[in-house]
Amino acid sequence: MEDIRVQQLEALEVGVDYVKKLVPAIKEIIPELRGDEKEDTMDFLNQIIGGINFMIDIVNATMGLINEKEEILNKDGMEEKVQNLNAGLQARDNAKTAQALEEGILPFMDIFYQVASLVLEKEKA
């Protein structure tokens, strides 16, 4: 059981480092999706979607540790945000995709970052 906790802590560290890179990329692509599209916007979006999927895997793997004392991250809430993003992507609706990123994914990543940082800080104390 202790091995799982160690692996979850390592995953949290990876997630915290990764989200620091992912969030600025998401913030950069939102205006592009809202009309300031560049030649590589769709390639950049695909990379960001890959990053979001990576973070979802980390969140899923660490949910037990994050919510150890109380439910902070809600899996249903996360799935709803991802479904909104998927709806925009499938419809090829850049405005809807930008809105899902801005109103759903970014706040979720921010909460993950704050909570994961706190868990790691407490673990090191």
Side-chain angles (χ1 to χ4, degrees):
M1 192 66 165
E2 194 61 33
D3 287 343
I4 292 173
R5 184 176 183 82
V6 169
Q7 290 173 351
Q8 287 177 322
L9 288 167
E10 289 173 359
L12 281 181
E13 287 180 8
V14 169
V16 164
D17 288 341
Y18 194 80
V19 87
K20 286 185 211 174
K21 298 171 189 157
L22 183 59
V23 165
I26 293 171
K27 287 180 178 178
E28 183 178 332
I29 202 162
I30 289 170
E32 291 182 29
L33 293 171
R34 289 195 168 130
D36 191 21
E37 192 167 331
K38 297 186 171 113
E39 189 177 304
D40 66 343
T41 296
M42 291 302 122
D43 289 336
F44 190 34
L45 178 61
N46 287 332
Q47 291 174 5
I48 289 169
I49 298 305
I52 291 169
N53 287 331
F54 177 71
M55 286 304 303
I56 290 168
D57 289 341
I58 289 178
V59 170
N60 284 332
T62 60
M63 191 77 79
L65 183 59
I66 290 171
N67 292 335
E68 193 171 50
K69 305 245 188 277
E70 66 180 288
E71 186 177 61
I72 298 169
L73 288 181
N74 180 295
K75 191 168 186 157
D76 291 337
M78 177 182 72
E79 287 177 9
E80 180 184 338
K81 289 163 183 37
V82 170
Q83 296 228 351
N84 289 340
L85 177 59
N86 283 337
L89 291 169
Q90 287 178 353
R92 298 188 186 272
D93 184 335
N94 287 353
K96 190 173 184 176
T97 300
Q99 182 177 358
L101 287 168
E102 186 172 52
E103 295 176 5
I105 301 299
L106 278 177
F108 188 83
M109 293 295 162
D110 185 49
I111 291 168
F112 170 82
Y113 178 80
Q114 291 177 31
V115 172
S117 297
L118 190 61
V119 168
L120 291 169
E121 191 178 299
K122 285 182 179 180
E123 199 65 32
K124 291 177 183 175

PDB file of all heavy atoms in Angstrom, residues 7-9 21 28 36-37 39 45 52 74 77 97-98 106 109 111-112 123:
ATOM      1  N   GLN A   7       4.111   6.093  -5.484  1.00  0.00           N
ATOM      2  CA  GLN A   7       3.877   6.291  -6.910  1.00  0.00           C
ATOM      3  C   GLN A   7       2.920   7.453  -7.162  1.00  0.00           C
ATOM      4  O   GLN A   7       3.102   8.226  -8.102  1.00  0.00           O
ATOM      5  CB  GLN A   7       3.336   5.006  -7.539  1.00  0.00           C
ATOM      6  CG  GLN A   7       4.365   3.904  -7.603  1.00  0.00           C
ATOM      7  CD  GLN A   7       3.778   2.584  -8.083  1.00  0.00           C
ATOM      8  OE1 GLN A   7       2.572   2.436  -8.211  1.00  0.00           O
ATOM      9  NE2 GLN A   7       4.653   1.623  -8.348  1.00  0.00           N
ATOM     10  N   GLN A   8       1.893   7.571  -6.312  1.00  0.00           N
ATOM     11  CA  GLN A   8       0.953   8.686  -6.461  1.00  0.00           C
ATOM     12  C   GLN A   8       1.655  10.016  -6.210  1.00  0.00           C
ATOM     13  O   GLN A   8       1.403  10.995  -6.921  1.00  0.00           O
ATOM     14  CB  GLN A   8      -0.226   8.520  -5.510  1.00  0.00           C
ATOM     15  CG  GLN A   8      -1.192   7.431  -5.923  1.00  0.00           C
ATOM     16  CD  GLN A   8      -2.318   7.248  -4.924  1.00  0.00           C
ATOM     17  OE1 GLN A   8      -2.126   7.342  -3.713  1.00  0.00           O
ATOM     18  NE2 GLN A   8      -3.506   6.960  -5.443  1.00  0.00           N
ATOM     19  N   LEU A   9       2.518  10.073  -5.224  1.00  0.00           N
ATOM     20  CA  LEU A   9       3.262  11.303  -4.932  1.00  0.00           C
ATOM     21  C   LEU A   9       4.178  11.663  -6.103  1.00  0.00           C
ATOM     22  O   LEU A   9       4.282  12.834  -6.482  1.00  0.00           O
ATOM     23  CB  LEU A   9       4.056  11.166  -3.635  1.00  0.00           C
ATOM     24  CG  LEU A   9       3.216  11.165  -2.361  1.00  0.00           C
ATOM     25  CD1 LEU A   9       4.043  10.714  -1.167  1.00  0.00           C
ATOM     26  CD2 LEU A   9       2.610  12.542  -2.107  1.00  0.00           C
ATOM     27  N   LYS A  21       3.562  23.973 -17.622  1.00  0.00           N
ATOM     28  CA  LYS A  21       3.823  24.177 -19.049  1.00  0.00           C
ATOM     29  C   LYS A  21       2.518  24.172 -19.857  1.00  0.00           C
ATOM     30  O   LYS A  21       2.390  24.877 -20.844  1.00  0.00           O
ATOM     31  CB  LYS A  21       4.742  23.078 -19.569  1.00  0.00           C
ATOM     32  CG  LYS A  21       6.094  23.065 -18.901  1.00  0.00           C
ATOM     33  CD  LYS A  21       6.881  21.836 -19.285  1.00  0.00           C
ATOM     34  CE  LYS A  21       8.135  21.753 -18.430  1.00  0.00           C
ATOM     35  NZ  LYS A  21       8.666  20.422 -18.333  1.00  0.00           N
ATOM     36  N   GLU A  28      -2.431  30.509 -24.457  1.00  0.00           N
ATOM     37  CA  GLU A  28      -1.949  31.037 -25.734  1.00  0.00           C
ATOM     38  C   GLU A  28      -2.876  30.655 -26.892  1.00  0.00           C
ATOM     39  O   GLU A  28      -3.083  31.440 -27.816  1.00  0.00           O
ATOM     40  CB  GLU A  28      -0.540  30.494 -26.006  1.00  0.00           C
ATOM     41  CG  GLU A  28       0.088  31.039 -27.256  1.00  0.00           C
ATOM     42  CD  GLU A  28       1.499  30.523 -27.475  1.00  0.00           C
ATOM     43  OE1 GLU A  28       2.197  30.195 -26.492  1.00  0.00           O
ATOM     44  OE2 GLU A  28       1.896  30.439 -28.651  1.00  0.00           O
ATOM     45  N   ASP A  36      -7.876  34.518 -34.059  1.00  0.00           N
ATOM     46  CA  ASP A  36      -6.506  34.921 -34.362  1.00  0.00           C
ATOM     47  C   ASP A  36      -5.685  33.693 -34.769  1.00  0.00           C
ATOM     48  O   ASP A  36      -4.564  33.503 -34.336  1.00  0.00           O
ATOM     49  CB  ASP A  36      -5.891  35.611 -33.135  1.00  0.00           C
ATOM     50  CG  ASP A  36      -4.583  36.304 -33.436  1.00  0.00           C
ATOM     51  OD1 ASP A  36      -4.330  36.611 -34.617  1.00  0.00           O
ATOM     52  OD2 ASP A  36      -3.796  36.518 -32.490  1.00  0.00           O
ATOM     53  N   GLU A  37      -6.315  32.856 -35.606  1.00  0.00           N
ATOM     54  CA  GLU A  37      -5.719  31.571 -35.977  1.00  0.00           C
ATOM     55  C   GLU A  37      -4.416  31.764 -36.738  1.00  0.00           C
ATOM     56  O   GLU A  37      -4.291  32.659 -37.567  1.00  0.00           O
ATOM     57  CB  GLU A  37      -6.709  30.765 -36.820  1.00  0.00           C
ATOM     58  CG  GLU A  37      -6.287  29.324 -36.993  1.00  0.00           C
ATOM     59  CD  GLU A  37      -7.393  28.448 -37.540  1.00  0.00           C
ATOM     60  OE1 GLU A  37      -8.576  28.736 -37.304  1.00  0.00           O
ATOM     61  OE2 GLU A  37      -7.049  27.467 -38.203  1.00  0.00           O
ATOM     62  N   GLU A  39      -0.979  29.556 -38.666  1.00  0.00           N
ATOM     63  CA  GLU A  39      -0.760  28.404 -39.536  1.00  0.00           C
ATOM     64  C   GLU A  39      -0.706  27.089 -38.757  1.00  0.00           C
ATOM     65  O   GLU A  39      -1.172  26.055 -39.229  1.00  0.00           O
ATOM     66  CB  GLU A  39       0.550  28.618 -40.308  1.00  0.00           C
ATOM     67  CG  GLU A  39       0.804  27.618 -41.389  1.00  0.00           C
ATOM     68  CD  GLU A  39       2.073  27.947 -42.157  1.00  0.00           C
ATOM     69  OE1 GLU A  39       2.178  29.066 -42.685  1.00  0.00           O
ATOM     70  OE2 GLU A  39       2.945  27.064 -42.204  1.00  0.00           O
ATOM     71  N   LEU A  45      -3.100  22.816 -31.075  1.00  0.00           N
ATOM     72  CA  LEU A  45      -4.270  22.334 -30.339  1.00  0.00           C
ATOM     73  C   LEU A  45      -4.168  20.826 -30.096  1.00  0.00           C
ATOM     74  O   LEU A  45      -4.458  20.356 -28.993  1.00  0.00           O
ATOM     75  CB  LEU A  45      -5.556  22.667 -31.090  1.00  0.00           C
ATOM     76  CG  LEU A  45      -6.860  22.176 -30.441  1.00  0.00           C
ATOM     77  CD1 LEU A  45      -7.052  22.792 -29.058  1.00  0.00           C
ATOM     78  CD2 LEU A  45      -8.047  22.487 -31.339  1.00  0.00           C
ATOM     79  N   ILE A  52      -3.602  17.506 -22.154  1.00  0.00           N
ATOM     80  CA  ILE A  52      -4.782  17.419 -21.281  1.00  0.00           C
ATOM     81  C   ILE A  52      -5.080  15.960 -20.966  1.00  0.00           C
ATOM     82  O   ILE A  52      -5.362  15.601 -19.813  1.00  0.00           O
ATOM     83  CB  ILE A  52      -5.994  18.134 -21.918  1.00  0.00           C
ATOM     84  CG1 ILE A  52      -5.756  19.649 -21.949  1.00  0.00           C
ATOM     85  CG2 ILE A  52      -7.282  17.792 -21.167  1.00  0.00           C
ATOM     86  CD1 ILE A  52      -6.752  20.427 -22.792  1.00  0.00           C
ATOM     87  N   ASN A  74     -13.606  16.450  -8.110  1.00  0.00           N
ATOM     88  CA  ASN A  74     -14.748  15.589  -8.372  1.00  0.00           C
ATOM     89  C   ASN A  74     -14.613  14.988  -9.761  1.00  0.00           C
ATOM     90  O   ASN A  74     -14.528  15.725 -10.747  1.00  0.00           O
ATOM     91  CB  ASN A  74     -16.033  16.426  -8.254  1.00  0.00           C
ATOM     92  CG  ASN A  74     -17.270  15.631  -8.507  1.00  0.00           C
ATOM     93  OD1 ASN A  74     -17.488  15.159  -9.609  1.00  0.00           O
ATOM     94  ND2 ASN A  74     -18.083  15.506  -7.477  1.00  0.00           N
ATOM     95  N   GLY A  77     -17.264  16.081 -12.206  1.00  0.00           N
ATOM     96  CA  GLY A  77     -17.028  17.454 -12.657  1.00  0.00           C
ATOM     97  C   GLY A  77     -15.957  17.511 -13.724  1.00  0.00           C
ATOM     98  O   GLY A  77     -16.087  18.238 -14.712  1.00  0.00           O
ATOM     99  N   THR A  97     -14.725  25.341 -28.411  1.00  0.00           N
ATOM    100  CA  THR A  97     -13.521  24.713 -27.866  1.00  0.00           C
ATOM    101  C   THR A  97     -12.779  25.696 -26.968  1.00  0.00           C
ATOM    102  O   THR A  97     -12.362  25.343 -25.859  1.00  0.00           O
ATOM    103  CB  THR A  97     -12.607  24.226 -29.014  1.00  0.00           C
ATOM    104  OG1 THR A  97     -13.325  23.269 -29.799  1.00  0.00           O
ATOM    105  CG2 THR A  97     -11.335  23.598 -28.478  1.00  0.00           C
ATOM    106  N   ALA A  98     -12.643  26.932 -27.432  1.00  0.00           N
ATOM    107  CA  ALA A  98     -11.968  27.960 -26.625  1.00  0.00           C
ATOM    108  C   ALA A  98     -12.712  28.188 -25.318  1.00  0.00           C
ATOM    109  O   ALA A  98     -12.086  28.305 -24.249  1.00  0.00           O
ATOM    110  CB  ALA A  98     -11.876  29.262 -27.417  1.00  0.00           C
ATOM    111  N   LEU A 106      -9.043  25.120 -17.839  1.00  0.00           N
ATOM    112  CA  LEU A 106      -8.100  25.965 -17.090  1.00  0.00           C
ATOM    113  C   LEU A 106      -8.410  26.009 -15.593  1.00  0.00           C
ATOM    114  O   LEU A 106      -7.495  25.809 -14.785  1.00  0.00           O
ATOM    115  CB  LEU A 106      -8.057  27.384 -17.668  1.00  0.00           C
ATOM    116  CG  LEU A 106      -7.173  27.586 -18.890  1.00  0.00           C
ATOM    117  CD1 LEU A 106      -7.285  29.016 -19.395  1.00  0.00           C
ATOM    118  CD2 LEU A 106      -5.731  27.234 -18.610  1.00  0.00           C
ATOM    119  N   MET A 109      -7.397  22.695 -14.062  1.00  0.00           N
ATOM    120  CA  MET A 109      -5.939  22.556 -13.963  1.00  0.00           C
ATOM    121  C   MET A 109      -5.395  23.403 -12.821  1.00  0.00           C
ATOM    122  O   MET A 109      -4.468  22.998 -12.114  1.00  0.00           O
ATOM    123  CB  MET A 109      -5.260  22.943 -15.278  1.00  0.00           C
ATOM    124  CG  MET A 109      -5.534  22.015 -16.428  1.00  0.00           C
ATOM    125  SD  MET A 109      -4.864  20.368 -16.159  1.00  0.00           S
ATOM    126  CE  MET A 109      -5.789  19.448 -17.361  1.00  0.00           C
ATOM    127  N   ILE A 111      -7.009  24.209 -10.030  1.00  0.00           N
ATOM    128  CA  ILE A 111      -7.354  23.532  -8.771  1.00  0.00           C
ATOM    129  C   ILE A 111      -6.420  22.350  -8.554  1.00  0.00           C
ATOM    130  O   ILE A 111      -5.898  22.149  -7.455  1.00  0.00           O
ATOM    131  CB  ILE A 111      -8.835  23.078  -8.773  1.00  0.00           C
ATOM    132  CG1 ILE A 111      -9.744  24.296  -8.712  1.00  0.00           C
ATOM    133  CG2 ILE A 111      -9.124  22.128  -7.611  1.00  0.00           C
ATOM    134  CD1 ILE A 111     -11.207  23.992  -9.005  1.00  0.00           C
ATOM    135  N   PHE A 112      -6.188  21.561  -9.614  1.00  0.00           N
ATOM    136  CA  PHE A 112      -5.257  20.436  -9.479  1.00  0.00           C
ATOM    137  C   PHE A 112      -3.899  20.930  -9.006  1.00  0.00           C
ATOM    138  O   PHE A 112      -3.306  20.359  -8.085  1.00  0.00           O
ATOM    139  CB  PHE A 112      -5.093  19.677 -10.804  1.00  0.00           C
ATOM    140  CG  PHE A 112      -3.960  18.680 -10.748  1.00  0.00           C
ATOM    141  CD1 PHE A 112      -4.159  17.424 -10.188  1.00  0.00           C
ATOM    142  CD2 PHE A 112      -2.704  19.011 -11.206  1.00  0.00           C
ATOM    143  CE1 PHE A 112      -3.110  16.515 -10.091  1.00  0.00           C
ATOM    144  CE2 PHE A 112      -1.645  18.121 -11.109  1.00  0.00           C
ATOM    145  CZ  PHE A 112      -1.847  16.871 -10.548  1.00  0.00           C
ATOM    146  N   GLU A 123       3.463  16.533   2.552  1.00  0.00           N
ATOM    147  CA  GLU A 123       4.188  15.249   2.578  1.00  0.00           C
ATOM    148  C   GLU A 123       5.655  15.462   2.906  1.00  0.00           C
ATOM    149  O   GLU A 123       6.277  14.641   3.560  1.00  0.00           O
ATOM    150  CB  GLU A 123       4.023  14.568   1.224  1.00  0.00           C
ATOM    151  CG  GLU A 123       4.298  13.103   1.234  1.00  0.00           C
ATOM    152  CD  GLU A 123       3.349  12.275   2.067  1.00  0.00           C
ATOM    153  OE1 GLU A 123       2.160  12.628   2.187  1.00  0.00           O
ATOM    154  OE2 GLU A 123       3.788  11.244   2.594  1.00  0.00           O
TER     155      GLU A 123
END
